[in-house]
Amino acid sequence: MEQIVFWVLALGALLSGAAVVLPPFGRNPLHAALSLVVCLFFLAGLFLTLSASFLAAMQVLVYAGAIMVLFVFVVMMLNLSSSERSPFQVSLIKIGAGLSTLFIVGKLAKTFWLSAGSAAPASLEGHQGFGSIGNVAEILFRQFLLPFELTSLLLLVAVVAAVIVARNKIGRGID
Amino acid sequence: MGEITVSHYLIVALMLFGFGLVGLVTRKNALVKMMSVELMLNAANLVLVTYSRFRGDETGQIMAFFVMALAAAEAAVGIALVLNVLRHHKTIDLDRLQGLEG
């Protein structure tokens, strides 16, 4: 049962992740955004299988709910589908991208293999409610209180910056 | 199909990271490039959560939480920048933005 759930979620995440960037679906930015939403939902499922229930809820709320709505909204506002529809062609930069990606992923795989091997996940005995909102909050508000507060500052700065950059007047001053 | 181990999750995360990297290099649309970055951030999140489960230590989930907050900030500022580029240059095809090309 556990295996079936993992394989369904993993294959779904990989297929929808590939659909974001690879040619058959990815030519249209709106299709790419919708595939990314599907991929994020599958990843939330994977978080659940790793008993990170709080993080899975955050994944759906923050990523699929907030960030992707922003993306889809902008894609629909810009209406770019005509300019993006160029036929797919194999070019030197795409071959180079594929090769360098294979190289980097291979290096990462070697590092992971050396550090993790094929170990099974640690047993959760003695961890009552691992990954639950209570346990995560316990760590977040004790050990990581300062980074948490700094995150709120970061979000405030990002909002102010987004408003200022998106305003017409200041943008014109840069030219 | 044997038991699901840590490497299964790591392989999924590696492949997602690879897709994101390919998209970041090959796609020309600025918005799709940003989506590729989101994909790579999510792959990193999956690795963090996997190791947190593997070690039985929830600190990795806190890191993933901070990555999510950072992604939200990055998306907000990035989309504002893309809108501004579109307003000035009437395109967000990054291959056509050659104002700084020597």
Side-chain angles (χ1 to χ4, degrees):
Chain A
M1 183 60 202
E2 203 180 316
Q3 279 100 336
I4 297 172
V5 171
F6 170 80
W7 285 113
V8 168
L9 291 173
L11 281 180
L14 285 177
L15 286 179
S16 48
V20 176
V21 292
L22 297 182
F25 302 100
R27 305 311 295 171
N28 189 331
L30 190 56
H31 292 172
L34 293 178
S35 323
L36 188 53
V37 174
V38 175
C39 182
L40 295 176
F41 270 104
F42 277 117
L43 275 169
L46 280 176
F47 288 171
L48 277 182
T49 66
L50 288 165
S51 43
S53 44
F54 170 65
L55 215 59
M58 280 300 110
Q59 174 92 352
V60 173
L61 283 179
V62 176
Y63 253 117
I67 298 181
M68 288 320 294
V69 165
L70 199 62
F71 270 103
V72 172
F73 181 75
V74 171
V75 168
M76 292 172 93
M77 196 174 86
L78 299 187
N79 197 13
L80 295 161
S81 48
S82 54
S83 65
E84 177 74 8
R85 288 245 177 81
S86 51
F88 178 73
Q89 53 204 8
V90 176
S91 61
L92 212 55
I93 191 168
K94 281 178 182 140
I95 297 170
L99 287 179
S100 51
T101 301
L102 274 182
F103 179 73
I104 292 173
V105 168
K107 281 285 181 195
L108 283 173
K110 195 180 156 212
T111 312
F112 284 154
W113 189 254
L114 289 179
S115 70
S118 54
S123 88
L124 288 184
E125 283 171 38
H127 283 278
Q128 198 62 41
F130 181 83
S132 69
I133 188 164
N135 284 19
V136 172
E138 192 76 22
I139 302 179
L140 187 59
F141 293 132
R142 284 182 202 276
Q143 248 178 295
F144 291 90
L145 185 59
L146 183 64
F148 180 75
E149 297 295 342
L150 287 178
T151 305
S152 64
L153 191 64
L154 171 76
L155 285 171
L156 178 68
V157 170
V159 168
V160 172
V163 169
I164 289 180
V165 168
R167 261 174 59 190
N168 219 347
K169 224 189 282 174
I170 296 187
R172 213 173 278 148
I174 291 171
D175 271 351
Chain B
M1 284 194 281
E3 203 196 347
I4 302 301
T5 62
V6 170
S7 344
H8 288 82
Y9 287 99
L10 292 184
I11 289 168
V12 172
L14 274 178
M15 288 180 73
L16 280 178
F17 188 86
F19 290 144
L21 194 56
V22 168
L24 185 66
V25 179
T26 57
R27 303 303 301 273
K28 291 167 187 159
N29 189 316
L31 277 174
V32 181
K33 264 186 206 282
M34 282 179 63
M35 289 179 210
S36 306
V37 174
E38 301 288 338
L39 203 57
M40 290 163 78
L41 284 172
N42 268 284
N45 264 355
L46 186 56
V47 173
L48 285 170
V49 176
T50 302
Y51 272 113
S52 127
R53 175 71 179 76
F54 171 54
R55 297 167 55 86
D57 179 359
E58 281 143 327
T59 314
Q61 297 183 16
I62 309 287
M63 300 290 164
F65 176 77
F66 286 135
V67 171
M68 275 185 200
L70 184 134
E74 174 250 327
V77 177
I79 284 179
L81 283 174
V82 167
L83 285 178
N84 228 1
V85 166
L86 183 78
R87 195 182 292 142
H88 283 277
H89 301 276
K90 309 288 177 236
T91 178
I92 57 168
D93 183 340
L94 294 182
D95 279 2
R96 282 195 238 157
L97 300 177
Q98 296 173 326
L100 284 182
E101 200 172 58

